Amino acid sequence: MVISAEPLIYGLIFLAVLALVQGIYLTVFGKSISLNSRVNRRLEMLEKGAGREQVLEQLRKEMSQHMSSRSIPLYAILADKAQKANIAFTPSQLIMVMVVLTVVAFFLLTFGTGAGLVIRIVLSILMGVGAVYVWVNNTAKKRISMIEEQLPEAVELMVRSLRVGHPFTSALQIVAKEVPDPLGTEMGVISDEAAYGRDVGEALKHMAERIDLQDMRFLAVAVTIQQTSGGNLAEILDGLAKVVRSRFKLFRRVKAITAEAKWSGMFLSGFPIVALIMINVIQPDYYDEVKETAYFIPACLIVAAFLVANIFVMRMLVNIKV
């Protein structure tokens, strides 16, 4: 019995292509573009000598370029996630990266496997496009998660600044300097826009809609209400910080409670497929005796339907909104 190593090689090639995406991104834009950078990207650009207006224009362009390119065929499925991830690549550059990764994957498949030409072409396209999609999706999730975690501390920093007498625009500037990426750069852009005359509440609302974050919508509404009807903004934001922090803790608790169910769902959904692949690899003639029967195809369709239903049912059971 000989077990083929090609499935493992395909997986290793995909992981190599996926790592290459991040490598290209960091090579082009430097370490400041990474989400865990201690000094936010806006401050680093200013320290390198770029003017405030130039930095604002560059960052605003990066924040809006993907949604304005939804008309590009097949790019619409990636545009929303690329905007949330704030990918600095332009849409054309991102498509070019897909092409480069497809070519790299094709050469790796050519030298590493014995697959036919058509299979190599199809797999290389799937790997090139899929690697970019997985990378953008993971970056978007990580970035939104980090903003959710940073927001309570940023709001509390605003509260302390307001209580010592600073205006709200100055509080935004302090947050932009003290808070690392990704929230530091976002707040820096809002601070710069306010300095050039844009309404702060409108800027916060636009940011909340762009990254699709409910807690940021709360902040935008609180600031807008205070601007129109007055009141103690420090007290309002202090209450908001407590609410946001409580929601975040509750979300983490729910995530911990449902973790076992999520992994159980993934195992129950993936194990039959893995078992089927292993059976065909170890003993390819295992189903030969039943393949010709009239019940084989209907039974396969029923099993596939149950597997798909299991995925949706398990997802609904653990998808608890906070």
Side-chain angles (χ1 to χ4, degrees):
M1 179 183 65
V2 179
I3 299 177
S4 175
E6 285 205 357
L8 179 61
I9 295 175
Y10 293 149
L12 292 175
I13 291 175
F14 179 76
L15 292 177
V17 172
L18 187 59
L20 185 59
V21 184
Q22 182 70 11
I24 294 173
Y25 196 56
L26 293 178
T27 301
V28 174
F29 295 101
K31 291 183 179 180
S32 65
I33 199 70
S34 59
L35 293 178
N36 56 357
S37 178
R38 292 184 178 180
V39 178
N40 65 59
R41 184 161 179 251
R42 172 179 167 272
L43 288 181
E44 184 159 319
M45 293 172 70
L46 290 172
E47 289 175 358
K48 289 181 179 178
R52 187 177 182 184
E53 185 175 355
Q54 181 184 356
V55 172
L56 175 61
E57 183 180 356
Q58 173 66 23
L59 293 176
R60 290 186 67 181
K61 178 183 177 182
E62 292 176 1
M63 292 174 178
S64 60
Q65 62 187 352
H66 296 287
M67 296 310 293
S68 60
S69 303
R70 281 183 167 181
S71 58
I72 300 177
L74 301 178
Y75 192 78
I77 59 175
L78 191 65
D80 184 59
K81 295 184 181 298
Q83 176 177 283
K84 291 179 180 179
N86 197 31
I87 301 299
F89 280 136
T90 64
S92 58
Q93 289 174 335
L94 206 55
I95 293 174
M96 189 180 300
V97 169
M98 292 182 187
V99 175
V100 171
L101 294 178
T102 299
V103 174
V104 171
F106 179 79
F107 279 106
L108 291 177
L109 289 170
T110 300
F111 292 106
T113 67
L117 178 62
V118 176
I119 295 177
R120 278 181 284 146
I121 292 175
V122 173
L123 285 177
S124 61
I125 294 174
L126 291 176
M127 287 183 180
V129 177
V132 172
Y133 181 84
V134 170
W135 172 70
V136 170
N137 185 49
N138 290 340
T139 304
K141 288 182 178 179
K142 183 180 178 180
R143 185 171 186 270
I144 297 302
S145 177
M146 292 180 69
I147 291 177
E148 287 178 336
E149 189 171 354
Q150 290 176 321
L151 187 58
E153 296 180 2
V155 175
E156 289 174 352
L157 183 57
M158 293 179 196
V159 172
R160 291 193 294 270
S161 301
L162 291 171
R163 283 176 174 169
V164 298
H166 292 295
F168 185 65
T169 52
S170 297
L172 284 176
Q173 292 176 5
I174 293 172
V175 171
K177 291 179 180 179
E178 299 297 330
V179 177
D181 271 338
L183 188 58
T185 295
E186 292 282 355
M187 288 300 181
V189 170
I190 293 175
S191 174
D192 289 342
E193 289 178 338
Y196 285 107
R198 187 177 187 182
D199 181 71
V200 177
E202 180 185 344
L204 287 169
K205 182 180 178 182
H206 176 74
M207 174 188 169
E209 295 300 328
R210 177 166 47 81
I211 64 178
D212 192 22
L213 188 60
Q214 188 65 35
D215 293 338
M216 188 59 68
R217 292 191 182 98
F218 293 157
L219 177 60
V221 170
V223 173
T224 302
I225 291 176
Q226 193 276 337
Q227 288 178 333
T228 55
S229 60
N232 190 335
L233 184 57
E235 295 299 325
I236 295 173
L237 295 184
D238 184 47
L240 175 63
K242 293 177 181 177
V243 171
V244 172
R245 193 177 293 278
S246 298
R247 290 183 74 251
F248 184 74
K249 288 181 179 178
L250 179 60
F251 178 77
R252 284 293 180 90
R253 184 176 299 176
V254 171
K255 187 177 181 180
I257 294 173
T258 58
E260 182 180 355
K262 287 183 179 179
W263 281 103
S264 298
M266 292 173 60
F267 176 79
L268 292 174
S269 301
F271 179 75
I273 299 175
V274 173
L276 178 63
I277 294 174
M278 292 303 297
I279 289 173
N280 280 277
V281 170
I282 296 173
Q283 192 172 350
D285 58 346
Y286 185 80
Y287 294 103
D288 287 351
E289 295 183 3
V290 296
K291 278 183 179 179
E292 304 301 328
T293 61
Y295 300 102
F296 182 74
I297 299 298
C300 290
L301 295 176
I302 292 173
V303 170
F306 275 116
L307 286 174
V308 173
N310 172 72
I311 294 173
F312 286 103
V313 170
M314 295 300 296
R315 180 171 295 182
M316 287 188 293
L317 289 175
V318 299
N319 187 23
I320 302 174
K321 299 294 183 181
V322 179

